């Protein structure tokens, strides 16, 4: 028995050693130490075997930390955390998952780091700020975007383009010949300066780009060589923020307008990307590994399709993680679908094809479902209108197998279709079958007039009754001369005419009395001057009339109607008139002269009322009457206005003023100074008319009604 066991051990030992050889050959972190070298901190890690490449890393700004991933390396230190409190380094955490170990450096503030390999040793240098070297006053936010790596040939800039983003941001896209170009970014004054270290620039790209017409925060981009470097000066305007990222050989600087919110203490944030900021620096790394890093950072469950593959060179500095994920997806032609905390990532075509298959299968299930019939009772909406909609060939509510019948007497619909489509019909009816809201519209039409008329006139005459030398021959009245208004008057007094004249008019030298106003006689004042012998007479009569009138007419029609239903209310008379026919005979027609209010309200979602108003106020004018009929005064307002609930708005107004001054005078005599008023009459008119139309809508509730 012993011999058999020994033989089995000798036979199986090589196979056992062969199976456990990979475990023995597994690389591991054996030592960890930190030392201070000037302003920098140097972290030294020693592995059991030399690493082939520098470990991939990424950084987070809040809280400040740097993470390094060691694939195929285990933790042989015997502890997962260690506190240092050296400079800006607080502690180090080591997390092992499977055959991969992550080293996380917890910092007090954001610092830059570099990594180099020396056999089994990995040196990580955390840069610090040297004493006595304050930053320049004109350089704000200076940072090293990417370190330059050794290259066989000098890098160059192949092309510079400018693009406008979907949200109005400006993007400067630089095409580099190599991905390992060193890049510095800093804010200098009001400009953003980007320096490409040890890079050449073709003569065709040494120019200034004026990009004002793109309507972005960037106004100009000036690129010029400066020694061995290339300096690019980006000139923004207003308040702005920038973001920079690099994918392979393409470097992008994005500048977006920053809108300040006075209610926020801190102004920040790009609209659309709200994730925690991180920094990524990968050189020719597998895309699936980058997605795994983002999954570990965000605690999201990321499922990657088997068709996702390829490598990627990526350098991102303080970029929200959701934007970093978006950049990676765009660079590799991928897309994602999110469900809860699970993110599915696959090529765009694959996701589209999968969703198409799901929709087609769902459609097939719908087409194979049994048809059911359901009755729908409509309370407020007309069933006939819903029936017309469902019978329309362009509708998509019913399927090809669906049918509908309407009963207008009971206002019911009978619909036959699959259960899914019946649910859509039920949802549609529940949305539209609701009581219409009522609106009361009150219109006030105010007509005001102010009339003023003033008339002033004079009647004037002179008569001399002295004896003549040959009285019997010339006349028998003893009149020497007279000034009158006609030949009959003067001939009678001289004895030439025996007919008795009209002493009210012919005996007057000036007969220009004041005219009547609205049938009212003017007031008169007269007096006679004569000598002691009563032979000479001077007659003077002054007449004057002044009229001042004010009036106001208020019409207040009101009507109640449903939402989006036109209403009409009118009141007035119909005036008959004769109208000739084609046969030559006449017929009686009627024309309306009334007050009418035509209105259509629409209640907006915010509780206001949009009104389409047509107000008409006609009245007969009997003062202008012809053989064809009576004239009609028309006042018409038609408009559309938005009014607050219960508010009042003036939708129209007409103001007219009629001023006239009429003077009738005797030529020459009427223009004489002082005495000219004896030979003229004056009339002055000042008539004012104003029309105003007020509209007040009120949305009726249970507590509001028309009284």
């Amino acid at each position: 028995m012993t011999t058999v066991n020994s033989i089995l051990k000798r036979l199986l030992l090589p196979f056992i050693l062969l199976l456990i050889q990979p475990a023995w050959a597994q690389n591991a972190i054996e030592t960890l130490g930190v030392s201070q070298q000037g302003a920098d901190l140097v972290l030294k890690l020693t592995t059991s075997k030399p690493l082939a490449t520098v470990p991939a890393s990424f950084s987070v700004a809040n809280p400040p930390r740097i993470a390094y991933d060691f694939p195929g390396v285990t933790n042989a230190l015997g502890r997962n955390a260690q506190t240092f409190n050296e400079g800006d380094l607080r502690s180090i955490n080591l997390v092992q998952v499977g055959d991969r170990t992550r080293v996380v450096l917890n910092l007090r503030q954001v610092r830059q780091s570099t990594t180099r390999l020396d056999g089994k040793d990995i040196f990580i240098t955390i840069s610090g700020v040297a004493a006595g070297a304050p930053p320049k006053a004109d350089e704000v936010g200076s940072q090293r975007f990417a370190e330059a790596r050794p290259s066989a040939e000098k890098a160059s800039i192949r092309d510079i383009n400018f693009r406008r983003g979907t949200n109005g941001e400006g993007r400067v896209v630089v095409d580099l010949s190599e991905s390992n170009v060193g890049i510095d970014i800093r804010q200098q004054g009001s400009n953003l300066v980007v320096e490409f270290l040890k890079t050449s620039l073709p003569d065709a790209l040494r120019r200034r780009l004026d990009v004002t017409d793109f309507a972005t925060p960037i106004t100009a981009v000036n690129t010029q060589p400066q020694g061995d470097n290339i300096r690019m000066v980006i000139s923004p305007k207003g308040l702005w923020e920038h973001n920079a990222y690099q994918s392979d050989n393409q470097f992008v600087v994005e500048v977006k307008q920053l809108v300040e919110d006075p209610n926020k203490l801190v102004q920040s944030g790009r609209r659309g990307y709200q994730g925690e900021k991180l920094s990524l620096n990968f050189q020719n790394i597998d895309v699936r590994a980058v997605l795994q890093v983002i999954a570990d950072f965000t605690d999201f469950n990321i499922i990657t399709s088997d068709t996702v593959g390829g490598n990627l060179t990526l350098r991102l500095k303080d970029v929200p993680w959701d934007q970093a994920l978006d950049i990676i997806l765009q660079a590799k032609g991928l897309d994602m679908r999110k469900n809860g905390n699970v993110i599915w990532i696959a090529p765009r075509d694959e996701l589209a094809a999968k969703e198409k298959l799901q929709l087609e299968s769902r459609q097939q299930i719908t087409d194979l479902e049994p048809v059911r019939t359901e009755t729908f009772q409509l309370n407020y909406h007309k069933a006939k209108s819903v029936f017309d909609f469902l019978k329309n060939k362009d509708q998509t509510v019913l399927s090809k197998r669906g049918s509908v019948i309407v009963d207008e007497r009971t206002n019911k619909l009978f619909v036959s279709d699959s259960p899914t489509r019946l649910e859509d019909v039920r949802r549609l009816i529940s949305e539209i079958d609701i009581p219409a809201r009522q609106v009361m519209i009150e219109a006030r039409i105010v007509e005001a007039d102010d009339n003023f008329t003033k008339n002033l006139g004079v009647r004037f005459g002179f008569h001399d009754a002295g004896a003549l030398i040959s009285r019997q021959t010339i006349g028998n009245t003893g009149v020497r001369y007279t000034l009158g208004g006609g030949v009959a008057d003067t001939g009678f007094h001289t004895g030439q005419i025996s007919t008795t004249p009209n002493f009210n008019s012919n005996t007057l030298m000036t007969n220009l009395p004041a005219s009547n106003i609205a049938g009212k006689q003017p007031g008169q004042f007269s007096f006679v001057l004569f000598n002691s012998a009563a032979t000479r007479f001077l007659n003077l009569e002054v007449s004057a009339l002044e009229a001042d009138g004010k009036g106001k007419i208020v019409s207040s029609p009101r009507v109640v109607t449903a939402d989006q239903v036109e209403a009409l209310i009118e009141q007035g008379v119909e005036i008959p008139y004769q109208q000739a026919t084609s046969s030559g005979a006449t017929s009686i027609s009627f024309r309306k002269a009334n007050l009418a209010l035509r209105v259509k309200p629409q209640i907006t979602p915010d509780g206001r009322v949009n009104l389409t108003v047509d107000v008409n106020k006609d009245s007969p004018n009997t003062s202008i009457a012809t053989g064809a009929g009576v004239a009609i005064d028309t006042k018409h307002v038609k408009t559309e206005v938005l009014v607050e609930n219960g508010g009042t708005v003036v939708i129209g107004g007409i103001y007219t003023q009629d001023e006239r001054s009429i003077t009738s005078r005797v030529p020459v005599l009427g223009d004489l100074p002082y005495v000219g008023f004896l030979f003229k009459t004056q009339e002055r008119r000042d008539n004012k008319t104003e029309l105003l139309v007020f509209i007040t809508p009120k949305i009726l509730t249970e507590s509001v009604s028309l009284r």
Side-chain angles (χ1 to χ4, degrees):
M1 188 69 178
T2 306
T3 306
V4 175
N5 292 336
S6 60
I7 294 173
L8 291 175
K9 289 180 180 180
R10 286 195 297 268
L11 293 174
L12 296 176
L13 183 60
F15 295 98
I16 296 174
L17 294 176
L18 183 62
L19 292 174
I20 65 176
Q21 179 65 28
W24 288 352
Q26 183 80 31
N27 200 357
I29 299 175
E30 295 179 345
T31 61
L32 175 63
V34 176
S35 62
Q36 184 83 33
Q37 297 183 3
D40 300 335
L41 281 177
V42 179
L43 175 66
K44 180 182 177 182
L45 293 92
T46 303
T47 57
S48 59
K49 295 182 180 181
L51 297 179
T53 59
V54 176
S57 65
F58 69 93
S59 62
V60 181
N62 187 23
R65 57 189 181 186
I66 304 174
Y68 292 86
D69 282 339
F70 295 82
V73 179
T74 61
N75 181 15
L77 296 176
R79 58 185 182 278
N80 295 329
Q82 184 172 350
T83 303
F84 290 94
N85 290 323
E86 293 283 345
D88 292 327
L89 180 61
R90 295 187 302 173
S91 61
I92 297 178
N93 294 334
L94 293 91
V95 182
Q96 180 180 345
V97 179
D99 61 346
R100 182 169 63 99
T101 300
R102 172 169 295 177
V103 179
V104 181
L105 311 182
N106 300 312
L107 307 176
R108 290 187 173 86
Q109 57 182 322
V110 178
R111 291 298 187 190
Q112 302 294 327
S113 65
T114 59
T115 307
R116 66 181 179 88
L117 297 178
D118 187 5
K120 298 181 180 181
D121 298 329
I122 302 100
F123 295 93
I124 301 175
T125 303
I126 303 174
S127 63
V129 180
K136 297 181 179 179
D138 61 344
E139 296 184 1
V140 181
S142 179
Q143 64 176 0
R144 176 66 55 88
F145 180 84
E147 296 286 346
R149 294 186 175 91
S151 178
E153 299 180 357
K154 188 176 181 180
S156 63
I157 296 178
R158 295 185 296 191
D159 195 9
I160 301 175
N161 293 318
F162 183 85
R163 300 171 185 172
R164 187 180 188 274
T166 56
N167 296 324
E169 66 271 15
R171 295 177 180 174
V172 182
V173 183
V174 182
D175 188 12
L176 303 173
S177 62
E178 298 181 7
S179 60
N180 55 358
V181 177
I183 304 174
D184 287 346
I185 303 176
R186 68 179 183 275
Q187 183 177 344
Q188 186 173 8
S190 59
N191 299 328
L192 186 65
V193 179
V194 182
E195 287 193 1
F196 301 90
L197 308 179
K198 296 181 180 181
T199 308
S200 61
L201 182 68
D203 294 338
L205 300 179
R206 300 180 183 181
R207 63 182 186 268
R208 183 179 185 273
L209 300 178
D210 189 353
V211 294
T212 308
D213 296 338
F214 286 84
T216 68
I218 301 177
T219 59
V221 179
N222 190 9
T223 309
Q224 297 293 334
Q226 192 175 42
D228 293 336
N229 304 333
I230 303 299
R231 171 173 287 189
M232 175 183 290
V233 180
I234 302 174
S235 302
K237 62 179 180 180
L239 298 175
W240 52 272
E241 60 178 358
H242 79 278
N243 192 18
Y245 57 89
Q246 181 179 350
S247 177
D248 292 332
N249 295 346
Q250 190 178 77
F251 173 75
V252 180
V253 179
E254 190 175 87
V255 179
K256 183 175 181 179
Q257 195 77 31
L258 182 62
V259 180
E260 280 193 353
D261 187 356
N263 298 320
K264 295 180 66 176
L265 296 176
V266 180
Q267 307 294 334
S268 65
R270 285 173 43 84
R271 185 185 303 174
Y273 299 114
Q274 304 295 332
E276 187 178 356
K277 292 186 177 181
L278 55 75
S279 298
L280 300 175
N281 187 3
F282 298 120
Q283 184 75 21
N284 197 25
I285 190 173
D286 185 63
V287 175
R288 303 172 70 91
V290 179
L291 296 176
Q292 181 64 39
V293 171
I294 296 178
D296 294 340
F297 177 76
T298 60
D299 292 333
F300 273 96
N301 299 313
I302 296 181
I303 301 175
T304 307
S305 174
D306 295 337
T307 55
V308 176
N311 295 335
L312 182 69
T313 298
L314 193 65
R315 288 186 291 185
L316 303 176
K317 188 74 69 176
D318 293 336
V319 176
W321 72 263
D322 48 352
Q323 185 183 9
L325 179 60
D326 190 27
I327 293 172
I328 296 171
L329 298 180
Q330 292 181 12
K332 305 303 293 185
L334 305 175
D335 204 352
M336 71 173 186
R337 297 294 184 267
K338 183 176 178 293
N339 186 7
N341 64 341
V342 179
I343 299 177
W344 170 264
I345 297 178
R348 294 191 181 96
D349 297 339
E350 181 179 336
L351 286 178
K354 182 179 179 181
E355 291 176 347
K356 182 180 179 181
L357 291 176
Q358 292 177 351
L359 293 175
E360 290 177 351
S361 61
R362 192 180 303 167
Q363 182 65 35
Q364 292 176 0
I365 294 174
T366 303
D367 295 339
L368 297 176
E369 284 184 314
V371 177
R372 295 168 48 191
T373 302
E374 189 170 343
T375 304
F376 297 93
Q377 176 68 61
L378 280 77
N379 300 319
Y380 308 100
H381 206 283
K382 293 183 179 179
K384 183 63 169 58
S385 60
V386 181
F387 170 79
D388 295 338
F389 169 74
L390 295 178
K391 294 294 291 184
N392 192 328
K393 62 179 182 179
D394 296 330
Q395 62 87 23
T396 58
V397 179
L398 297 180
S399 66
K400 297 179 180 179
R401 301 184 298 163
S403 62
V404 58
I405 301 175
V406 61
D407 185 9
E408 298 187 43
R409 185 181 64 85
T410 59
N411 204 38
K412 289 183 178 181
L413 289 175
F414 303 92
V415 184
S416 299
D417 211 330
S418 63
T420 304
R421 297 303 179 98
L422 290 177
E423 183 62 28
D424 295 339
V425 176
R426 187 180 299 105
R427 190 181 301 108
L428 171 65
I429 293 177
S430 64
E431 289 289 338
I432 64 176
D433 190 28
I434 57 176
R437 304 178 70 180
Q438 307 290 315
V439 183
M440 181 183 68
I441 300 98
E442 180 181 2
R444 291 185 297 276
I445 306 171
V446 181
E447 297 179 90
D449 60 83
D450 187 358
N451 302 323
F452 177 80
T453 305
K454 181 178 180 181
N455 294 339
L456 181 63
V458 174
R459 304 173 69 177
F460 171 70
F462 179 77
H463 180 70
D464 187 0
L468 298 176
I469 299 176
S470 50
R471 179 176 180 181
Q472 292 80 7
T473 306
I474 300 176
N476 53 7
T477 59
V479 178
R480 287 184 176 180
Y481 59 88
T482 183
L483 299 176
V487 177
D489 175 42
T490 56
F492 176 79
H493 287 288
T494 57
Q496 304 176 50
I497 298 175
S498 60
T499 304
T500 303
N502 184 1
F503 290 97
N504 292 330
S505 59
N506 294 338
T507 59
L508 299 174
M509 182 177 65
T510 302
N511 188 15
L512 296 174
S515 59
N516 299 340
I517 300 177
K520 303 298 182 181
Q521 297 289 335
Q524 300 175 350
F525 174 75
S526 61
F527 61 91
V528 179
L529 299 178
F530 54 90
N531 59 357
S532 57
T535 58
R536 294 182 177 87
F537 299 89
L538 178 65
N539 302 321
L540 179 64
E541 179 186 279
V542 179
S543 59
L545 181 64
E546 182 177 305
D548 190 4
K550 296 182 180 180
K552 182 173 70 173
I553 302 175
V554 180
S555 304
S556 182
R558 63 178 70 179
V559 64
V560 177
T561 182
D563 184 24
Q564 300 190 28
V565 177
E566 185 179 273
L568 172 65
I569 184 173
E570 60 181 353
Q571 179 265 335
V573 298
E574 291 188 354
I575 301 175
Y577 64 95
Q578 291 185 349
Q579 186 178 16
T581 62
S582 59
S583 62
T586 60
S587 62
I588 302 298
S589 300
F590 294 88
R591 181 177 176 182
K592 292 183 178 181
N594 56 8
L595 171 65
L597 171 63
R598 189 186 304 269
V599 62
K600 183 178 181 180
Q602 179 185 354
I603 302 175
T604 62
D606 57 354
R608 294 187 290 181
V609 183
N610 188 28
L611 295 175
T612 301
V613 186
D614 190 353
V615 181
N616 196 79
K617 189 176 188 308
D618 298 340
S619 59
N621 190 349
T622 56
S623 61
I624 306 177
T626 63
V630 180
I632 298 177
D633 294 335
T634 301
K635 302 176 181 64
H636 189 198
V637 177
K638 184 177 181 180
T639 185
E640 183 174 346
V641 64
L642 183 65
V643 193
E644 297 287 342
N645 180 27
T648 302
V649 63
V650 181
I651 65 171
I654 301 175
Y655 178 81
T656 60
Q657 184 175 3
D658 183 11
E659 289 188 46
R660 296 188 181 187
S661 180
I662 302 173
T663 302
S664 302
R665 65 169 68 87
V666 178
V668 182
L669 297 179
D671 297 329
L672 294 176
Y674 303 109
V675 297
F677 75 94
L678 299 175
F679 304 96
K680 61 184 176 182
T681 180
Q682 295 179 338
E683 180 180 359
R684 185 168 67 89
R685 301 177 185 174
D686 188 5
N687 299 331
K688 302 176 183 178
T689 304
E690 187 173 9
L691 172 67
L692 296 175
V693 181
F694 301 86
I695 293 291
T696 303
K698 295 180 180 178
I699 301 175
L700 297 182
T701 60
E702 296 181 355
S703 59
V704 180
S705 60
L706 179 63
R707 297 180 179 179

